[in-house]
Amino acid sequence: FNSTDTPKPLVIVTPSRTSHFQATIYRARKHGIQIRTRSGGHDYEGLSYVAKVPFVVVDLVNFRSVDVDAENRVAWVQAGAILGEVYYRIAEKSRTLAFAGGIYHTIGVGGYIRGGGFGLLFRKYGTGGDNVIDTQFIDVNGRILDRKSMGEDMFWAIRGGGGGSFGIVLAWKLILVPVPATVTAFSFSRTLEQNATQLILQWQDIAHQLPNEMNPDVTMFSINSTQDGRKTILPSFSSLFLGTIDELLPIMQQRFPQLGLSRQDCIEMSWIESILYYNQLQNQPLEILLNRTFRTPVGGQYYKIKSDYVKEPISETALNDFKTALSSWLIAESWIGFLRRQHHSRIEPAYANYRDLDIGSNNVGITSYTQASVGGRKYFKNNFDRLVQVKTKIDPENSFKHEQSIPPFL
Ligand code: FDA
């Protein structure tokens, strides 16, 4: 999105007070200019700062205060704050409180919660959106609304119904959740020669039954084999556990002895240190979490992302097909196409925070309900119609729109 022919905004507004938002929305509507709202700027299709029509970017970079009330376990967070700022400010007050946010610390709180938001605490405490109890929001008429004045339907819609469709979130009131003083991370790999395929098959049956204090994960990396140099896959098994190594090991030995998890595979740390660990920033000062332009090794590459929900375990045949595809040196694009062909009939809706224009895109002019529902139903299934109802009520003239925004009924 950073090339010379990428469409640029007419103006970038960086409001420092509420009246700046009101003036911008008023003038943009008057002149028929589209508004793109940017919090952290991590939209996977760049929809918060690229448009094909004349547009203004409203950038919340100056709207990022984080006010933590550790005693009452809540925080008021302005939408332009990044997750790292939230985690850092919570840790300043308490090392045993956390927000159920994502791993990557430069994600904006605004966009993250607009799409739901899952992270390391998802199984224990739900999504980021589940942990919001109030909001400050500005609508197309410049009205400042909170949870009570906007009503429950609207409050539901802005915590998962996708960003950029209803208005601008100025702040969220977050629930802070308890975490133990010591947490444990493990991550280790098994080669195919070490029976990794069988382990993955077993993992699929067992992982979801492990305690909610864990977030079990398997990632398959493509590597060059040390034996013949050809491409092969290296599965990596990992989890964070809300507890100590001594508490974790008996659980794993009882529930999943085949994995052979040992003390050497595990590392203890505090919750805030686990954020550094998963960002590959171990041994860095905590202040690095405040750097919103920092590019970690995790976020430094350019890539396209696709998300599918697999509702039944991936079969051994399909796993072997992965391996064959990779060892045949297929390029990434072919590999993705291959996956879709194999599993298409089982694909469930995509995840709204993993924006993907391939699954559907609105027209540039008038947004048709039929066309918008193609992508919309993949993200939201039957909730799409409820989102359309909220949109019709709050923004009937469709002033807040983009390629995948929720349309009003015309
Ligand atoms: P950005 O500012 O680009 O906004 C995204 C969308 O929300 C746009 O449509 C924008 O207009 C709208 N929006 C933003 N602020 C708004 C506001 N204040 N009011 C109204 N609309 C607003 N997700 C996840 O759930 N778990 C994870 O672990 C990760 N990990 C991850 C890693 C990396 C490297 C990336 C790039 C992304 C993720 N994500 C993720 C996805 C991420 O949650 C998603 O891209 C968010 O929308 C990013 O929010 P930003 O505020 O940074 O984006």
Side-chain angles (χ1 to χ4, degrees):
F1 304 116
N2 192 20
S3 66
T4 45
D5 55 358
T6 305
K8 304 290 184 294
L10 296 171
V11 60
I12 300 174
V13 181
T14 55
S16 53
R17 62 180 75 142
T18 310
S19 59
H20 297 166
F21 289 97
Q22 289 162 322
T24 308
I25 294 170
Y26 174 78
R27 295 196 75 80
R29 282 184 77 192
K30 190 170 172 200
H31 296 287
I33 297 167
Q34 211 168 93
I35 299 169
R36 296 292 168 116
T37 311
R38 177 165 63 190
S39 286
H42 276 308
D43 190 278
Y44 276 121
E45 296 282 7
L47 299 192
S48 56
Y49 54 92
V50 181
K52 294 184 189 130
V53 294
F55 70 109
V56 48
V57 170
V58 178
D59 190 323
L60 278 85
V61 63
N62 293 325
F63 245 69
R64 57 176 215 265
S65 69
V66 179
D67 186 6
V68 176
D69 177 353
E71 201 179 326
N72 292 306
R73 295 187 177 178
V74 290
W76 265 109
V77 176
Q78 287 186 321
I82 56 171
L83 288 175
E85 288 173 304
V86 179
Y87 299 149
Y88 181 90
R89 298 293 170 211
I90 296 171
E92 269 185 332
K93 298 263 176 82
S94 166
R95 295 293 169 112
T96 53
L97 286 178
F99 169 61
I103 294 173
Y104 192 52
H105 67 99
T106 61
I107 294 172
V109 179
Y112 178 76
I113 292 174
R114 296 303 306 264
F118 67 83
L120 294 167
L121 300 176
F122 170 59
R123 290 183 77 229
K124 176 88 178 163
Y125 293 116
T127 64
D130 292 326
N131 287 281
V132 174
I133 48 173
D134 207 343
T135 186
Q136 205 190 14
F137 178 90
I138 186 162
D139 76 0
V140 68
N141 295 312
R143 291 182 304 163
I144 308 292
L145 305 175
D146 62 6
R147 177 177 186 165
K148 195 159 171 236
S149 54
M150 71 173 53
E152 285 305 305
D153 268 359
M154 173 88 187
F155 187 60
W156 166 82
I158 62 171
R159 292 171 301 137
S165 289
F166 303 104
I168 301 178
V169 174
L170 303 181
W172 303 108
K173 186 176 187 182
L174 307 179
I175 298 174
L176 306 184
V177 294
V179 285
T182 303
V183 302
T184 302
F186 73 80
S187 172
F188 66 92
S189 304
R190 292 281 183 270
T191 61
L192 294 173
E193 292 72 30
Q194 290 170 313
N195 213 12
T197 307
Q198 285 309 313
L199 281 179
I200 296 172
L201 293 172
Q202 290 163 353
W203 179 265
Q204 292 187 98
D205 288 333
I206 294 170
H208 63 282
Q209 296 172 24
L210 291 170
N212 286 345
E213 283 70 23
M214 298 179 71
N215 68 319
D217 199 12
V218 176
T219 311
M220 285 182 259
F221 294 100
S222 162
I223 57 155
N224 292 330
S225 159
T226 47
Q227 285 170 358
D228 56 13
R230 288 171 65 84
K231 286 242 181 230
T232 182
I233 55 170
L234 185 68
S236 167
F237 302 84
S238 65
S239 181
L240 182 77
F241 172 65
L242 297 175
T244 61
I245 297 177
D246 286 341
E247 290 165 323
L248 172 66
L249 286 179
I251 296 172
M252 294 305 282
Q253 273 149 17
Q254 190 199 4
R255 308 258 187 115
F256 202 176
Q258 307 91 318
L259 198 63
L261 184 72
S262 72
R263 191 169 286 275
Q264 289 70 40
D265 300 317
C266 303
I267 170 166
E268 288 182 341
M269 59 193 88
S270 66
W271 161 257
I272 188 73
E273 285 164 350
S274 77
I275 299 296
L276 293 181
Y277 174 85
Y278 281 103
N279 277 290
Q280 300 178 14
L281 294 171
Q282 304 98 303
N283 308 321
Q284 298 284 340
L286 283 186
E287 283 65 30
I288 204 159
L289 295 176
L290 302 174
N291 183 346
R292 60 192 295 128
T293 57
F294 186 82
R295 297 176 69 188
T296 66
V298 186
Q301 310 105 6
Y302 301 100
Y303 53 88
K304 165 95 184 163
I305 197 154
K306 298 210 161 275
S307 62
D308 292 328
Y309 290 81
V310 181
K311 290 191 84 178
E312 52 190 271
I314 297 172
S315 68
E316 184 167 2
T317 315
L319 278 176
N320 285 332
D321 286 348
F322 283 157
K323 187 190 151 211
T324 311
L326 284 169
S327 50
S328 311
W329 298 87
L330 290 181
I331 59 167
E333 262 178 25
S334 311
W335 186 52
I336 289 167
F338 168 81
L339 286 177
R340 300 195 109 201
R341 203 167 53 237
Q342 287 292 311
H343 298 294
H344 192 74
S345 60
R346 282 183 246 153
I347 285 174
E348 282 297 299
Y351 173 40
N353 260 351
Y354 288 178
R355 176 108 58 207
D356 179 3
L357 289 182
D358 292 351
I359 70 171
S361 184
N362 298 336
N363 289 334
V364 168
I366 292 173
T367 308
S368 113
Y369 168 86
T370 312
Q371 192 166 343
S373 62
V374 175
R377 288 202 189 282
K378 288 186 186 137
Y379 286 132
F380 307 114
K381 280 191 110 178
N382 295 336
N383 283 334
F384 179 71
D385 283 333
R386 190 172 164 199
L387 292 170
V388 170
Q389 278 166 15
V390 172
K391 169 75 176 181
T392 309
K393 213 166 148 192
I394 193 76
D395 181 21
E397 288 173 16
N398 204 14
S399 295
F400 286 96
K401 64 177 179 181
H402 55 69
E403 287 83 339
Q404 284 190 339
S405 57
I406 304 291
F409 283 125
L410 288 178

CSV table of all heavy atoms in Angstrom, one decimal, residues 160-190:
chain,number,residue,atom,x,y,z
A,160,GLY,N,-17.6,-6.2,17.1
A,160,GLY,CA,-17.4,-7.4,16.3
A,160,GLY,C,-17.9,-7.3,14.9
A,160,GLY,O,-17.6,-8.1,14.1
A,161,GLY,N,-18.8,-6.3,14.7
A,161,GLY,CA,-19.4,-6.1,13.4
A,161,GLY,C,-18.5,-5.5,12.3
A,161,GLY,O,-19.0,-5.0,11.3
A,162,GLY,N,-17.2,-5.5,12.5
A,162,GLY,CA,-16.3,-4.9,11.5
A,162,GLY,C,-16.1,-3.4,11.7
A,162,GLY,O,-17.0,-2.8,12.2
A,163,GLY,N,-14.9,-2.9,11.3
A,163,GLY,CA,-14.7,-1.5,11.5
A,163,GLY,C,-15.2,-0.7,10.4
A,163,GLY,O,-15.5,-1.1,9.3
A,164,GLY,N,-15.3,0.7,10.6
A,164,GLY,CA,-15.6,1.6,9.6
A,164,GLY,C,-17.0,1.7,9.0
A,164,GLY,O,-17.2,2.3,7.9
A,165,SER,N,-18.0,1.1,9.7
A,165,SER,CA,-19.3,1.0,9.1
A,165,SER,C,-20.3,1.9,9.8
A,165,SER,O,-21.3,2.3,9.2
A,165,SER,CB,-19.9,-0.4,9.2
A,165,SER,OG,-19.3,-1.3,8.3
A,166,PHE,N,-20.2,2.2,11.1
A,166,PHE,CA,-21.3,2.8,11.8
A,166,PHE,C,-21.0,4.2,12.3
A,166,PHE,O,-21.9,5.0,12.5
A,166,PHE,CB,-21.6,1.9,13.1
A,166,PHE,CG,-21.9,0.5,12.7
A,166,PHE,CD1,-20.9,-0.5,12.9
A,166,PHE,CD2,-23.1,0.2,12.2
A,166,PHE,CE1,-21.2,-1.8,12.6
A,166,PHE,CE2,-23.4,-1.2,11.8
A,166,PHE,CZ,-22.5,-2.1,12.0
A,167,GLY,N,-19.7,4.6,12.5
A,167,GLY,CA,-19.3,5.8,13.0
A,167,GLY,C,-17.9,5.7,13.5
A,167,GLY,O,-17.2,4.8,13.1
A,168,ILE,N,-17.5,6.5,14.5
A,168,ILE,CA,-16.2,6.5,15.0
A,168,ILE,C,-16.2,6.2,16.5
A,168,ILE,O,-16.8,6.9,17.2
A,168,ILE,CB,-15.4,7.8,14.7
A,168,ILE,CG1,-15.3,8.1,13.2
A,168,ILE,CG2,-14.0,7.7,15.3
A,168,ILE,CD1,-14.6,9.4,12.8
A,169,VAL,N,-15.5,5.1,16.9
A,169,VAL,CA,-15.4,4.8,18.3
A,169,VAL,C,-14.2,5.7,18.9
A,169,VAL,O,-13.1,5.7,18.3
A,169,VAL,CB,-15.0,3.4,18.6
A,169,VAL,CG1,-14.7,3.1,20.0
A,169,VAL,CG2,-16.1,2.4,18.1
A,170,LEU,N,-14.6,6.5,19.9
A,170,LEU,CA,-13.5,7.4,20.5
A,170,LEU,C,-12.8,6.6,21.7
A,170,LEU,O,-11.6,6.8,21.9
A,170,LEU,CB,-14.2,8.6,21.1
A,170,LEU,CG,-14.9,9.5,20.0
A,170,LEU,CD1,-15.5,10.7,20.7
A,170,LEU,CD2,-14.0,9.9,18.9
A,171,ALA,N,-13.6,5.8,22.4
A,171,ALA,CA,-12.9,5.1,23.6
A,171,ALA,C,-13.8,3.9,23.9
A,171,ALA,O,-14.9,3.8,23.6
A,171,ALA,CB,-12.8,6.1,24.7
A,172,TRP,N,-13.1,3.0,24.6
A,172,TRP,CA,-13.7,1.8,25.1
A,172,TRP,C,-13.5,1.7,26.6
A,172,TRP,O,-12.4,2.1,27.1
A,172,TRP,CB,-13.1,0.5,24.6
A,172,TRP,CG,-13.1,0.3,23.1
A,172,TRP,CD1,-12.0,0.4,22.3
A,172,TRP,CD2,-14.1,0.0,22.2
A,172,TRP,NE1,-12.3,0.2,20.9
A,172,TRP,CE2,-13.7,-0.1,20.9
A,172,TRP,CE3,-15.5,-0.3,22.4
A,172,TRP,CZ2,-14.4,-0.5,19.8
A,172,TRP,CZ3,-16.3,-0.6,21.4
A,172,TRP,CH2,-15.8,-0.7,20.1
A,173,LYS,N,-14.4,1.2,27.4
A,173,LYS,CA,-14.2,0.9,28.8
A,173,LYS,C,-14.0,-0.6,28.9
A,173,LYS,O,-14.9,-1.4,28.6
A,173,LYS,CB,-15.4,1.4,29.7
A,173,LYS,CG,-15.1,1.2,31.2
A,173,LYS,CD,-16.2,1.8,32.0
A,173,LYS,CE,-15.9,1.7,33.5
A,173,LYS,NZ,-17.0,2.2,34.3
A,174,LEU,N,-12.8,-1.0,29.3
A,174,LEU,CA,-12.4,-2.4,29.3
A,174,LEU,C,-12.5,-3.0,30.6
A,174,LEU,O,-12.2,-2.4,31.6
A,174,LEU,CB,-11.0,-2.6,28.7
A,174,LEU,CG,-10.7,-1.9,27.4
A,174,LEU,CD1,-9.2,-2.1,27.1
A,174,LEU,CD2,-11.6,-2.4,26.3
A,175,ILE,N,-12.8,-4.3,30.7
A,175,ILE,CA,-12.7,-5.1,31.9
A,175,ILE,C,-11.3,-5.7,31.9
A,175,ILE,O,-10.8,-6.2,30.9
A,175,ILE,CB,-13.7,-6.3,31.8
A,175,ILE,CG1,-15.1,-5.9,31.7
A,175,ILE,CG2,-13.5,-7.3,33.0
A,175,ILE,CD1,-16.1,-7.0,31.5
A,176,LEU,N,-10.7,-5.6,33.1
A,176,LEU,CA,-9.4,-6.2,33.3
A,176,LEU,C,-9.5,-7.5,34.0
A,176,LEU,O,-10.3,-7.6,34.9
A,176,LEU,CB,-8.5,-5.2,34.1
A,176,LEU,CG,-8.3,-3.8,33.5
A,176,LEU,CD1,-7.4,-3.0,34.3
A,176,LEU,CD2,-7.9,-3.9,32.0
A,177,VAL,N,-8.9,-8.5,33.5
A,177,VAL,CA,-9.1,-9.9,34.0
A,177,VAL,C,-7.9,-10.3,34.8
A,177,VAL,O,-6.7,-9.9,34.6
A,177,VAL,CB,-9.3,-10.9,32.9
A,177,VAL,CG1,-10.6,-10.5,32.2
A,177,VAL,CG2,-8.2,-10.9,31.9
A,178,PRO,N,-8.1,-11.2,35.8
A,178,PRO,CA,-7.0,-11.6,36.7
A,178,PRO,C,-6.1,-12.7,35.9
A,178,PRO,O,-6.6,-13.5,35.2
A,178,PRO,CB,-7.6,-12.3,37.9
A,178,PRO,CG,-9.0,-12.6,37.4
A,178,PRO,CD,-9.4,-11.7,36.3
A,179,VAL,N,-4.8,-12.6,36.1
A,179,VAL,CA,-3.8,-13.6,35.6
A,179,VAL,C,-2.9,-13.9,36.8
A,179,VAL,O,-2.6,-13.0,37.6
A,179,VAL,CB,-3.0,-13.1,34.4
A,179,VAL,CG1,-3.9,-13.1,33.1
A,179,VAL,CG2,-2.4,-11.7,34.6
A,180,PRO,N,-2.3,-15.1,36.8
A,180,PRO,CA,-1.4,-15.4,37.9
A,180,PRO,C,-0.1,-14.7,37.8
A,180,PRO,O,0.3,-14.2,36.7
A,180,PRO,CB,-1.2,-16.9,37.8
A,180,PRO,CG,-1.7,-17.3,36.4
A,180,PRO,CD,-2.6,-16.2,35.9
A,181,ALA,N,0.6,-14.6,38.9
A,181,ALA,CA,1.9,-13.9,38.8
A,181,ALA,C,2.9,-14.6,37.9
A,181,ALA,O,3.8,-13.9,37.3
A,181,ALA,CB,2.5,-13.8,40.2
A,182,THR,N,2.8,-15.9,37.8
A,182,THR,CA,3.7,-16.7,36.9
A,182,THR,C,2.9,-17.4,35.9
A,182,THR,O,1.9,-18.1,36.2
A,182,THR,CB,4.5,-17.7,37.7
A,182,THR,OG1,5.2,-17.0,38.7
A,182,THR,CG2,5.5,-18.5,36.8
A,183,VAL,N,3.2,-17.2,34.6
A,183,VAL,CA,2.6,-18.0,33.5
A,183,VAL,C,3.7,-18.8,32.8
A,183,VAL,O,4.9,-18.5,33.0
A,183,VAL,CB,1.9,-17.1,32.5
A,183,VAL,CG1,0.8,-16.3,33.2
A,183,VAL,CG2,2.8,-16.2,31.8
A,184,THR,N,3.3,-19.8,32.0
A,184,THR,CA,4.3,-20.7,31.4
A,184,THR,C,4.1,-20.7,29.9
A,184,THR,O,2.9,-20.9,29.5
A,184,THR,CB,4.3,-22.1,32.0
A,184,THR,OG1,4.5,-22.0,33.4
A,184,THR,CG2,5.3,-23.0,31.3
A,185,ALA,N,5.1,-20.6,29.1
A,185,ALA,CA,5.0,-20.8,27.7
A,185,ALA,C,5.8,-22.0,27.3
A,185,ALA,O,6.8,-22.3,27.8
A,185,ALA,CB,5.5,-19.6,26.9
A,186,PHE,N,5.2,-22.8,26.3
A,186,PHE,CA,6.0,-23.9,25.7
A,186,PHE,C,5.8,-23.8,24.2
A,186,PHE,O,4.8,-23.4,23.7
A,186,PHE,CB,5.7,-25.2,26.3
A,186,PHE,CG,4.4,-25.9,25.9
A,186,PHE,CD1,4.2,-26.5,24.7
A,186,PHE,CD2,3.3,-25.8,26.8
A,186,PHE,CE1,3.1,-27.1,24.3
A,186,PHE,CE2,2.1,-26.4,26.4
A,186,PHE,CZ,2.0,-27.0,25.2
A,187,SER,N,6.9,-24.2,23.6
A,187,SER,CA,6.9,-24.3,22.1
A,187,SER,C,8.0,-25.2,21.7
A,187,SER,O,9.1,-25.1,22.0
A,187,SER,CB,7.1,-22.9,21.6
A,187,SER,OG,7.3,-22.9,20.2
A,188,PHE,N,7.6,-26.3,20.9
A,188,PHE,CA,8.6,-27.1,20.4
A,188,PHE,C,8.2,-27.8,19.1
A,188,PHE,O,7.0,-27.9,18.9
A,188,PHE,CB,9.1,-28.2,21.5
A,188,PHE,CG,8.0,-29.2,21.8
A,188,PHE,CD1,7.8,-30.4,21.2
A,188,PHE,CD2,7.1,-28.8,22.8
A,188,PHE,CE1,6.8,-31.2,21.5
A,188,PHE,CE2,6.0,-29.7,23.1
A,188,PHE,CZ,5.9,-30.9,22.5
A,189,SER,N,9.1,-28.3,18.4
A,189,SER,CA,8.8,-28.9,17.1
A,189,SER,C,9.1,-30.4,17.1
A,189,SER,O,10.0,-30.9,17.8
A,189,SER,CB,9.6,-28.2,16.0
A,189,SER,OG,9.4,-26.8,16.1
A,190,ARG,N,8.4,-31.1,16.2
A,190,ARG,CA,8.7,-32.5,15.9
A,190,ARG,C,8.7,-32.6,14.4
A,190,ARG,O,7.9,-32.1,13.7
A,190,ARG,CB,7.6,-33.4,16.5
A,190,ARG,CG,7.5,-33.5,18.0
A,190,ARG,CD,8.6,-34.4,18.6
A,190,ARG,NE,8.4,-34.5,20.0
A,190,ARG,CZ,9.0,-33.7,20.9
A,190,ARG,NH1,9.8,-32.7,20.5
A,190,ARG,NH2,8.9,-33.9,22.2
